[in-house]
Amino acid sequence: MNITIAGVGAMGSRFALMLHRAGHKVTLVDGWKEHVTAIQKDGLQANLNGEEVVAKLPIYLQSEVDPTLSNDLIILFTKAMQLEAMLADIQPLIHDNTAVLCLLNGIGHEEVIEKYVPRNQIMIGNTMWTAGMEEPGRAKLFGNGSIALKNLVADPKAEQAAYKVIETLNSAGLNAQYTENILYAIYKKACVNGTMNSLCTLLLANMADFGDTTPAHNIVVKIVSEFAEVAKHENVDLNVTETVDYIEKNCYNRDTIGLHYPSMYQDLNEHNRLTEIDYINGAIARKGQQYGVDTPYCALITELVHCKEQLLGAK
Ligand code: NAD
């Protein structure tokens, strides 16, 4: 398959390398000049589960894409706030038969994507794979993961295209599954991000240490309840007890991921980068206003993260 990765940070690098190693023709598009220059010079490098890998892949700055590139699949892997600018720049690469897959964290990206891509070519989902950047041109890629995805519109041709994308991802060992109730999966992951990412970022804590505090349970219940109330208005039935249980069992476990500082923590507190808060807790606060649902926890958390971004001069 001819595949373009639009946004080749940590996750884009993982998908690019795995798909390239499975024999697909992978092209990269990104907006971070230093990173693009490093890849043009030395290839895309990574520590992939302890193995040093390098791939000489074609890469373009998103403002300089080659409109003659043929694309069966474009995988979007920007941060949420970079998504619309990327879509505007790569519009010449989106042809009639190009499937466009979005696996970003957060809620409601399809509303942005459908301004640039016909709805029957859009696939949405999420992923449990993880990745990090070490420096421009170099990623660190450890562990295993999975992908849940589905075509945005109910249409047999779109569904067939989604299964083809799944087959392609699985040929690279990416462990993708067609997921009928994809909005449920997206909301459930957003609950993890909307509790662990934002709270650990604000409190300068890892997940297990936060979980040990006495108010932790109540705060997580309150936030997840706001997500669930909003989700109801989108016909998503999110069980609060089950979701809180899932977060507490998985995220606070010191033997697995409990000692981890979530990516939002790392972006803001370690790298002075803006966060995706507007697309996680912020999306719930916005949608809450639209649906007449009170979301005081999500609204306050969103504002506090923005305060912190401004105090730190994040970019
Ligand atoms: P990322 O920040 O590594 O990359 C996103 C974009 O930002 C890329 O275009 C990249 O080139 C650019 N970028 C990265 N570092 C930069 C810097 N220092 N200066 C300027 N530009 C920089 O993001 P990611 O971790 O690949 O995440 C992409 C999406 O996938 C997000 O929605 C994220 O929430 C989601 N996600 C991430 C992970 C993870 O483990 N990283 C896991 C699941 C989902």
Side-chain angles (χ1 to χ4, degrees):
M1 238 194 200
N2 289 332
I3 302 169
T4 292
I5 310 284
V8 197
M11 291 299 282
S13 297
R14 171 183 280 292
F15 276 57
L17 285 169
M18 291 177 74
L19 288 161
H20 165 71
R21 282 156 71 91
H24 297 285
K25 183 172 172 289
V26 177
T27 302
L28 314 177
V29 176
D30 200 73
W32 183 15
K33 195 155 195 318
E34 226 182 321
H35 184 51
V36 171
T37 307
I39 295 174
Q40 282 167 340
K41 185 166 164 278
D42 298 322
L44 176 59
Q45 304 179 28
N47 180 341
L48 179 59
N49 291 328
E51 182 193 349
E52 285 302 317
V53 297
V54 183
K56 271 280 184 192
L57 297 174
I59 180 160
Y60 299 88
L61 267 177
Q62 65 191 69
S63 53
E64 296 172 7
V65 291
D66 174 1
T68 63
L69 264 182
S70 71
N71 269 305
D72 303 307
L73 170 64
I74 295 177
I75 305 180
L76 300 167
F77 257 135
T78 59
K79 281 281 168 54
M81 54 284 188
Q82 304 162 327
L83 179 62
E84 182 143 17
M86 175 61 83
L87 285 161
D89 282 336
I90 63 168
Q91 186 113 60
L93 305 183
I94 303 167
H95 310 297
D96 284 353
N97 289 319
T98 307
V100 177
L101 170 64
C102 175
L103 298 175
L104 272 59
N105 280 333
I107 290 171
H109 301 311
E110 58 279 10
E111 291 160 23
V112 175
I113 302 170
E114 61 192 31
K115 292 194 225 165
Y116 299 88
V117 185
R119 280 171 63 79
N120 62 353
Q121 291 172 231
I122 301 173
M123 292 162 201
I124 56 170
N126 64 21
T127 176
M128 298 299 161
W129 287 97
T130 60
M133 288 300 297
E134 283 185 346
E135 60 188 19
R138 189 177 161 78
K140 56 176 179 222
L141 311 172
F142 283 88
N144 286 308
S146 58
I147 299 166
L149 70 86
K150 188 176 184 265
N151 37 298
L152 184 62
V153 292
D155 162 67
K157 260 181 86 180
E159 184 174 325
Q160 208 181 359
Y163 274 106
K164 185 135 187 262
V165 167
I166 287 169
E167 194 184 306
T168 302
L169 295 169
N170 286 342
S171 71
L174 280 158
N175 197 13
Q177 270 197 348
Y178 191 86
T179 303
E180 196 54 56
N181 199 351
I182 197 67
L183 277 183
Y184 173 84
I186 289 173
Y187 262 96
K188 187 169 173 190
K189 184 156 193 222
C191 283
V192 179
N193 297 137
T195 50
M196 295 302 106
N197 280 48
S198 42
L199 296 168
C200 293
T201 300
L202 288 169
L203 296 169
L204 295 177
N206 63 41
M207 297 188 286
D209 286 349
F210 165 72
D212 279 348
T213 65
T214 46
H217 178 71
N218 180 47
I219 297 174
V220 170
V221 169
K222 287 284 195 331
I223 295 172
V224 171
S225 303
E226 292 181 4
F227 273 75
E229 276 306 305
V230 167
K232 263 188 211 159
H233 289 262
E234 302 194 345
N235 299 320
V236 178
D237 183 15
L238 195 67
N239 182 306
V240 174
T241 311
E242 202 180 284
T243 308
V244 170
D245 233 45
Y246 172 83
I247 293 170
E248 293 180 340
K249 284 213 174 83
N250 288 288
C251 299
Y252 301 161
N253 185 339
R254 288 177 187 273
D255 295 328
T256 54
I257 55 170
L259 300 180
H260 177 69
Y261 290 82
S263 58
M264 187 184 288
Y265 173 104
Q266 295 174 34
D267 280 342
L268 181 55
N269 294 313
E270 292 174 4
H271 304 298
N272 239 18
R273 296 184 66 206
L274 292 168
T275 71
E276 296 182 299
I277 195 72
D278 283 337
Y279 305 86
I280 305 172
N281 303 80
I284 295 304
R286 237 179 5 261
K287 283 173 181 278
Q289 274 195 339
Q290 187 186 330
Y291 300 136
V293 173
D294 275 347
T295 59
Y297 276 73
C298 283
L300 177 62
I301 285 169
T302 303
E303 291 193 327
L304 289 175
V305 171
H306 283 316
C307 286
K308 190 160 194 181
E309 288 173 339
Q310 290 173 27
L311 289 168
L312 295 174
K315 292 207 174 65

